Amino acid sequence: MKRLMLIFFIASAILLQSTASLQAVQSQEHPASLAQMSQLPLLDPTFAPRFEVEGTVEAVVVQPDHKIILAGSFQTVNGELRDGIARLNPDGTLDQSFRLTAPLILGSPMFRTLTLLADGKLVVGGSFSMMGSDDQFRHHVARLDADGRLDETFIADVNGSLYTLLEQPDGKLVVGGEFTQVAGEDRQNLARLNADGSLDPSFGIGEGADGAVYALAQQTDGKLLLGGMFRNFNGTAAYYLARLESDGTRDATFAVNANDTVYAIAVQPDGKIVFGGAFNAVNDVTRFALARVQPDGTLDDLNPGMFYEVKSILALADNSLVLGGWFSSIIFGGRPIYHDARMALVNNEGSLANIVTFDGQPTEVKTLAARSDGLIIAGGNFRNLVKFEGFPVIYRHSLAMLTPSLEMIGNFEVIVANPGHVQQIVPLANGEVLVVGAFSLVNGMPQIAAARLSREGDFDAAFVPPFRRSSNQVSSAIALPDGSYLLGGNFTDNYTDQDLVGQTLVLVDQRGALLPFPRYGLPFPTLLLDTNGRILVGGWGGLFRLLADGTLDDSFATDSAPGSGTEPDGMPGRINALLELPNGQLIVAGKFSSFASEARSTIVRLNANGTLDTTFVSPTFETLNPSFSPPEAYAVALQGAQVLVGSNAFVQSGEESLRSLVRLGADGALDPTFANPFGNNGGEVRALHTLSDGSIMVGGTLQIVAATQIYNHIFQLQPNGQRNPAFGVGVTSFFGFGTGIYDIALTTDNRLLIGGLFPELEDLPRLSFGGYILQESAEATIEPEREATLTIPDDGIDYLFPSGTFTETVTFTHTPQPTTNLPATGGLRGSGYAFTLTAVATSSGAPTQPAPGQAFTLTLEPLEVGSLIPATCGLWRWDEASSTWTQDGITSSVSEDGTRLTATISHLSLFAVLGESHQVYLPFAQR
C-alpha cells in the first residue's frame, strides 16, 4: 500500500497527521479534505479466456467465389466478435474484409433471413433497427454493401419481424414475416418492395395472411408460394400454404392444405413443389413433416418420415433433396421427449439415401445452401454428432460443410457462438480457478458447465466434467479440502450409463470424474463451505447443512427455510447468497418474505446451529410490481461489521428510495449514511466484493448514468458508496436480456476476476470472463486557492501544485501503469516509469484538466532508467486523439548526474518516462 504525503503551505502553525496508509501535513486553521483509493482495478489486456455457447445460424448464402455469408443470433465467429452476420473464406476462416457497420445499431440484431443480390450486395431481414448517417432508421430489413456497410440508398420500414426474403428476376423483393405495416401502409405479414426499398403498391394482397409467413419460393412461371402459420389469405381459407399470382392475388386453383405450420418450401428443377414443417397430414393424407405436390397441387407419395419438424429444404440439380430439421426418438403422450438436430438426403427416386443426426437438446438444422462444386453448407443450432462408443466425438458448432452424400468435411471447423453465462468463480491454489455456469465452449474447446483455468487463463484439458448435453448448468461450486469439487445445478443427462436428471449436487474428482455422493433434490442450489468443513446448501424452498461426507447434519435446525409458496409470484422462497460471519453465524439472503415462520424480508442472520437470530431485523425490501418481480437479494458482503446487500429492490429511507445496494448495521438496521450510487436506473446487483482498502466492487445488470458517460454493470465504489470515477466504464457492448456481471472473485495471487454474461469490457473482446490488475493509486483533494504538494515516497515522486492550478476543488489521482501494456513507443524505450494522472471535480464528478495557462511540477528522484541514456530521457504523454506519444504541454529535464527528472505538466493523461538505449556493437569476425 502506498504512503502519501500532502502538504499545504500557509503562513500558520503546521500539524503532522499520519495514518497507516496516508500521511499529511496541513493547516490547523484550514483542515484539508483527504481521500485515498489505494486499489484501482485496471483491466488486464492480456487475460482473455472465452466462455461461449453455440449460437444459431438462421440463414446461409454462398457467393460465386465460395465465400459463405451466415446470419442469425450469434456474437462471435471463431472467437472474434461479429454482430449476427459474418462472411467466411471458403476454408472456414473469418473474412476480415466484411463486417456489419452502421452509424447506429440498436441492441443485438437478430437476423433471420438474407439474400445475395446479383451486384454482390446483401439484403438482410429479421428483428433489428439500424440508423444511417441520414438519421433515418431501417427497421427489420436493410441492404448492405459487399463489405458489410449499411447501404443508405435502400430505405424500407417494416413494423415487425421478417422471416423470409425472395428476390424476383426484376430486382423486386418479396418479404414475409410477422408485421402489419410497411412504409406506413397496411400489409399483413407479406409485401413486395421495389429495388430501392420503397413499397410496391402493385402487389395487391388484400387482407394478406392472418399469421406469420415463414417461407417463400417462386416457380418458373412467376407464381409465388408462401408457407407459415396462417390459416387464411385475403379472407379465404388457406391452411399454412398458399400460391399467389405474380400480382399478389390468390391462385384459387392451388388447393393444398397442411394441418400445421409450414417452415420451408423449395421448387425442384422438374417443377415439383416440396414443403416441410410441423404437420402430419396434407389434404387429410398422412405426411410427416414433409410433402411434395405436382405444380397443379396433386399430392405425390413422398413421405420419408425421420423428422418431427422440417425447417429447411435444399432442392438439388438432379431433383434429389437435402432436408434439415429435428426429430425425437421418443414420443410420450403425443409430445416429443427429445429435440435433436437432423439432416437427411432423399434421392431423386424418393428414397432415403443418408441421415446425419446430432446429439443434445434442443438442437436443429435451420438453413441449407449448396456450393457450385456440390458441397453442402448447413447452419442451425447444434454441437456434435451422435456419439458412438470407440469413436472420437465429431463437433460442429452450428455450422457444417458436407459432401453431396452428407459426409462431414473434416477440416471445416467453424465456431459460431454467443457469450456463455459464467455464474461463479472459485479461486484455487496457485492462482488457478474453477469456473462454472451455462457454457459449452472454453477457449474454443468443447467443455460443458465447469472448467478449470490456469493463472494465465489457459484451459486445463485434464479436467473434464461428466456432462454430455449442453443444457446442463452449474449454478454454484465449492472446492473441498480433499481436492474434489462439489457442483450444484440443473443436470439433464439421462443416458443409460449416467442418469443425472433430478440430481442437483454432483461430486467430481480433480479430473472431473463422478464420485459417490448422496442424492438431494434442491434445484439450482447455492453452496458454502464453512470453516469447520461442513457444506451449507440453500435453494428453492430449503436450507440444510451437510457433513464432510455428504450426509445430512442433524444438528442444524430443520426449520431454517424461507417461506414456501407464500411469495407474491406464487413460487417458493429461494436462497441465493450465504455468508459465514467470524463468530460462526450465517447471513442468508434471497427471495422470501418469511423465514423460520417469522416475517423477514430477503435477508436474515442465523445462529451457528441454524436457528433464527431474532436480534437481526432488516428493513423491508420492495419492488414496484412484486407479483411479477418480488424483492430478491442476490449478493451479500461484509464491510467491517456492516453487511452490504445487493438486490433488485429498493429500501425506503425517509423520502428517498435506496435502490439495488444498501448497507445494514450489525442489528440489520439501514445505514442512511451509505451513498445511493444507482439512483432510479433500475437493474440488479448480482455480485459484491470488498477490497482491502475498504472499496467495494459491485457487479450486476444495472448502470450509472453520469453527465458525459454511462457506466455499465461493473463498478468500484468508495467505502461510503460513492462511485470511484477513476474506474473504467465496464461492459461496452450489449448482448441481450441478462447482460451483466454475476460474480467477482479475488484469486490467491491477488487478481480480481469477474464473470457473467457479456461480450466486451472497456471496448475489448471479453467473452463473459475478465481479469483486473489491482493497481495501487494515490489520491488526494486539491483546492484551487491553496498551493499543495503531493508526495509518494515509495515511487520517489513529488507533485507541486501552485495556487490556481485547478479552478475548482478536485480529486487528483496518480495510478502506476504496467509498462508492458503501454502503446507502442516507436524508437524510444520505456524506462519502467509509467502512470496515469486524472482529476475529477468533487462537485460534479466530471473529469477536469488544469486551468488554461496553468501547470504543476513533477519531480522523480532517484531516477533509475537501467540501460537507457539518462540525458535522453524525458516525460512523454500519450495523446488519445492522435494515438501518438507527445511532449506537448510538458517541459522536462534530467539532472547532470542523471538521478533526478523534473517536469512541468499542463494536461492530464497517460505518462511514461522514455529515452534512448545504449547501442552495443559486437566485433565482426570473418571466417
Side-chain angles (χ1 to χ4, degrees):
M1 187 173 293
K2 300 286 184 195
R3 292 178 291 118
L4 292 85
M5 188 174 293
L6 182 65
I7 306 174
F8 292 100
F9 293 87
I10 298 179
S12 62
I14 301 296
L15 170 71
L16 179 65
Q17 172 185 315
S18 68
T19 67
S21 58
L22 184 146
Q23 293 184 348
V25 176
Q26 60 188 29
S27 165
Q28 286 180 316
E29 186 177 351
H30 300 285
S33 174
L34 302 177
Q36 179 190 13
M37 182 70 68
S38 65
Q39 289 184 300
L40 177 66
L42 299 175
L43 187 66
D44 185 344
T46 66
F47 186 80
R50 304 186 340 246
F51 287 83
E52 298 168 281
V53 64
E54 281 76 13
T56 300
V57 176
E58 297 274 358
V60 168
V61 295
V62 180
Q63 296 183 170
D65 60 1
H66 288 177
K67 289 188 175 182
I68 303 162
I69 302 173
L70 55 147
S73 174
F74 56 83
Q75 286 276 298
T76 67
V77 176
N78 295 341
E80 296 191 42
L81 290 178
R82 289 295 184 270
D83 284 325
I85 188 167
R87 186 165 65 198
L88 304 177
N89 296 311
D91 62 356
T93 58
L94 195 59
D95 181 355
Q96 301 292 347
S97 68
F98 180 94
R99 187 153 194 173
L100 178 65
T101 306
L104 178 64
I105 302 173
L106 296 182
S108 296
M110 164 75 83
F111 297 111
R112 299 183 185 274
T113 180
L114 55 84
T115 187
L116 183 65
L117 306 182
D119 61 1
K121 293 187 177 184
L122 195 70
V123 178
V124 294
S127 303
F128 60 84
S129 293
M130 301 184 206
M131 188 175 73
S133 58
D134 55 5
D135 294 335
Q136 292 193 59
F137 274 103
R138 280 76 174 165
H139 297 296
H140 310 298
V141 61
R143 189 166 67 196
L144 306 179
D145 290 328
D147 61 359
R149 289 178 300 167
L150 178 66
D151 177 0
E152 298 193 9
T153 65
F154 181 92
I155 302 176
D157 186 11
V158 182
N159 74 340
S161 297
L162 256 64
Y163 299 129
T164 182
L165 284 165
L166 175 70
E167 185 189 21
Q168 296 187 314
D170 60 0
K172 292 184 178 182
L173 287 165
V174 183
V175 298
E178 201 164 6
F179 51 84
T180 58
Q181 288 192 329
V182 177
E185 299 289 332
D186 289 343
R187 290 294 186 276
Q188 195 76 21
N189 301 320
L190 185 71
R192 187 164 66 191
L193 308 178
N194 295 311
D196 63 356
S198 60
L199 181 66
D200 178 6
S202 69
F203 190 67
I205 62 170
E207 297 177 18
D210 66 348
V213 173
Y214 291 128
L216 292 169
Q218 190 165 21
Q219 298 180 178
T220 55
D221 60 3
K223 291 186 178 183
L224 189 71
L225 297 156
L226 63 147
M229 201 186 286
F230 53 85
R231 303 184 68 176
N232 293 278
F233 189 88
N234 195 17
T236 303
Y239 289 95
Y240 309 105
L241 188 69
R243 186 164 69 188
L244 309 182
E245 303 290 349
S246 59
D247 63 357
T249 57
R250 172 84 179 276
D251 178 2
T253 68
F254 187 80
V256 181
N257 295 296
N259 70 342
D260 207 335
T261 307
V262 170
Y263 290 114
I265 306 174
V267 179
Q268 294 184 172
D270 62 5
K272 291 182 179 181
I273 301 161
V274 188
F275 56 96
F279 52 84
N280 57 32
V282 175
N283 290 349
D284 296 324
V285 179
T286 298
R287 290 292 184 270
F288 290 110
L290 185 78
R292 185 167 61 193
V293 297
Q294 301 290 341
D296 64 359
T298 303
L299 188 67
D300 82 358
D301 58 359
L302 179 68
N303 186 28
M306 308 308 295
F307 286 87
Y308 194 86
E309 290 184 355
V310 169
K311 289 295 188 75
S312 51
I313 302 171
L314 180 63
L316 302 180
D318 65 350
N319 292 314
S320 59
L321 300 169
V322 180
L323 311 175
W326 65 274
F327 90 113
S328 176
S329 58
I330 299 176
I331 307 295
F332 183 78
R335 301 188 64 82
I337 300 300
Y338 302 109
H339 195 300
D340 295 334
R342 170 168 279 184
M343 296 178 63
L345 176 64
V346 178
N347 64 26
N348 53 17
E349 297 178 353
S351 300
L352 196 63
N354 197 7
I355 296 176
V356 176
T357 302
F358 293 84
D359 190 21
Q361 58 176 333
T363 58
E364 56 189 3
V365 175
K366 305 192 75 170
T367 181
L368 297 164
R371 295 191 348 176
S372 58
D373 59 3
L375 295 182
I376 308 298
I377 309 299
N381 181 269
F382 44 80
R383 183 171 186 265
N384 58 271
L385 299 185
V386 169
K387 304 178 181 72
F388 293 98
E389 189 173 352
F391 292 89
V393 179
I394 298 175
Y395 289 96
R396 290 297 182 270
H397 305 285
S398 296
L399 193 73
M401 182 184 289
L402 303 96
T403 67
S405 60
L406 295 195
E407 301 297 328
M408 203 67 68
I409 299 293
N411 59 358
F412 187 86
E413 299 184 24
V414 180
I415 297 176
V416 182
N418 280 316
H421 191 162
V422 171
Q423 295 190 310
Q424 188 179 1
I425 304 165
V426 182
L428 305 174
N430 303 320
E432 293 182 328
V433 290
L434 179 69
V435 183
V436 301
F439 50 81
S440 56
L441 290 157
V442 180
N443 292 356
M445 300 298 293
Q447 184 90 343
I448 295 175
R452 191 168 58 208
L453 301 183
S454 71
R455 185 192 184 283
E456 294 74 27
D458 296 328
F459 168 62
D460 184 353
F463 177 77
V464 182
F467 311 124
R468 302 182 190 176
R469 287 200 173 104
S470 55
S471 51
N472 288 284
Q473 299 179 46
V474 178
S475 57
S476 186
I478 53 175
L480 298 178
D482 63 359
S484 61
Y485 308 126
L486 185 63
L487 311 178
N490 180 49
F491 308 121
T492 60
D493 287 349
N494 60 346
Y495 300 96
T496 55
D497 62 331
Q498 177 176 290
D499 188 357
L500 300 179
V501 174
Q503 181 128 348
T504 60
L505 296 174
V506 296
L507 184 66
V508 299
D509 64 16
Q510 281 278 308
R511 300 184 62 84
L514 278 173
L515 296 172
F517 198 78
R519 192 179 186 92
Y520 297 99
L522 197 64
F524 293 106
T526 296
L527 305 176
L528 173 69
L529 184 68
D530 72 14
T531 53
N532 294 310
R534 298 168 301 192
I535 303 164
L536 276 299
V537 184
W540 287 89
L543 172 67
F544 51 86
R545 190 167 67 193
L546 306 178
L547 300 175
D549 62 359
T551 58
L552 201 63
D553 182 357
D554 293 331
S555 69
F556 192 76
T558 57
D559 63 349
S560 292
S564 179
T566 60
E567 302 313 309
D569 60 354
M571 298 294 290
R574 181 170 61 197
I575 292 171
N576 297 318
L578 297 166
L579 175 67
E580 185 181 16
L581 301 179
N583 64 358
Q585 288 186 305
L586 295 171
I587 295 292
V588 179
K591 182 190 73 172
F592 49 83
S593 54
S594 65
F595 202 99
S597 303
E598 296 283 342
R600 289 293 188 273
S601 177
T602 73
I603 184 169
V604 295
R605 187 168 65 200
L606 304 183
N607 297 310
N609 64 356
T611 58
L612 185 67
D613 179 356
T614 58
T615 67
F616 183 93
V617 181
S618 72
T620 299
F621 289 76
E622 303 176 72
T623 58
L624 296 178
N625 188 356
S627 61
F628 174 74
S629 177
E632 187 163 6
Y634 302 103
V636 292
L638 284 181
Q639 191 185 35
Q642 296 177 300
V643 180
L644 299 164
V645 185
S647 71
N648 68 344
F650 62 89
V651 173
Q652 204 66 31
S653 177
E655 297 184 358
E656 185 179 9
S657 297
L658 303 179
R659 189 169 188 86
S660 304
L661 180 64
V662 295
R663 186 166 66 191
L664 308 180
D667 60 353
L670 180 69
D671 179 0
T673 67
F674 187 73
N676 178 19
F678 301 114
N680 292 314
N681 294 322
E684 303 164 348
V685 169
R686 289 278 187 161
L688 292 168
H689 193 93
T690 52
L691 299 179
S692 60
D693 62 356
S695 65
I696 308 158
M697 299 305 303
V698 181
T701 62
L702 66 177
Q703 299 176 316
I704 293 179
V705 180
T708 59
Q709 182 67 56
I710 298 177
Y711 301 87
N712 297 308
H713 310 323
I714 179 72
F715 317 93
Q716 185 183 31
L717 305 184
Q718 297 181 20
N720 65 356
Q722 293 180 334
R723 182 181 65 84
N724 176 22
F727 186 71
V729 297
V731 176
T732 47
S733 180
F734 181 74
F735 169 60
F737 179 77
T739 298
I741 308 300
Y742 287 78
D743 196 26
I744 303 171
L746 193 67
T747 65
T748 54
D749 57 350
N750 207 39
R751 291 175 301 124
L752 194 71
L753 304 182
I754 65 170
L757 181 64
F758 52 86
E760 276 187 353
L761 287 173
E762 313 291 349
D763 292 318
L764 291 176
R766 292 294 183 272
L767 295 175
S768 298
F769 201 77
Y772 287 84
I773 301 167
L774 291 176
Q775 291 287 351
E776 294 186 342
S777 64
E779 182 177 294
T781 300
I782 307 297
E783 298 179 359
E785 69 277 6
R786 297 183 178 183
E787 185 178 72
T789 295
L790 173 64
T791 297
I792 308 174
D794 290 355
D795 288 345
I797 291 177
D798 289 279
Y799 291 102
L800 172 62
F801 300 92
S803 174
T805 300
F806 298 97
T807 59
E808 58 182 317
T809 301
V810 302
T811 300
F812 177 86
T813 303
H814 165 107
T815 304
Q817 300 288 344
T819 56
T820 55
N821 298 330
L822 292 178
T825 56
L828 298 173
R829 298 297 181 93
S831 66
Y833 295 99
F835 48 87
T836 299
L837 301 182
T838 61
V840 174
T842 55
S843 60
S844 65
T848 188
Q849 292 285 342
Q854 295 294 316
F856 58 95
T857 303
L858 173 149
T859 303
L860 197 163
E861 185 177 13
L863 178 65
E864 298 175 358
V865 294
S867 63
L868 299 188
I869 304 170
T872 68
C873 290
L875 187 67
W876 292 71
R877 175 176 64 86
W878 177 251
D879 182 63
E880 194 69 42
S882 62
S883 297
T884 57
W885 288 96
T886 179
Q887 288 189 306
D888 289 347
I890 301 172
T891 302
S892 68
S893 62
V894 177
S895 62
E896 290 185 4
D897 61 3
T899 63
R900 184 177 68 255
L901 180 142
T902 304
T904 58
I905 301 170
S906 60
H907 189 89
L908 305 182
S909 181
L910 168 65
F911 294 87
V913 177
L914 307 176
E916 298 176 7
S917 62
H918 291 279
Q919 299 294 324
V920 178
Y921 297 94
L922 297 178
F924 176 77
Q926 183 177 6
R927 286 189 146 171

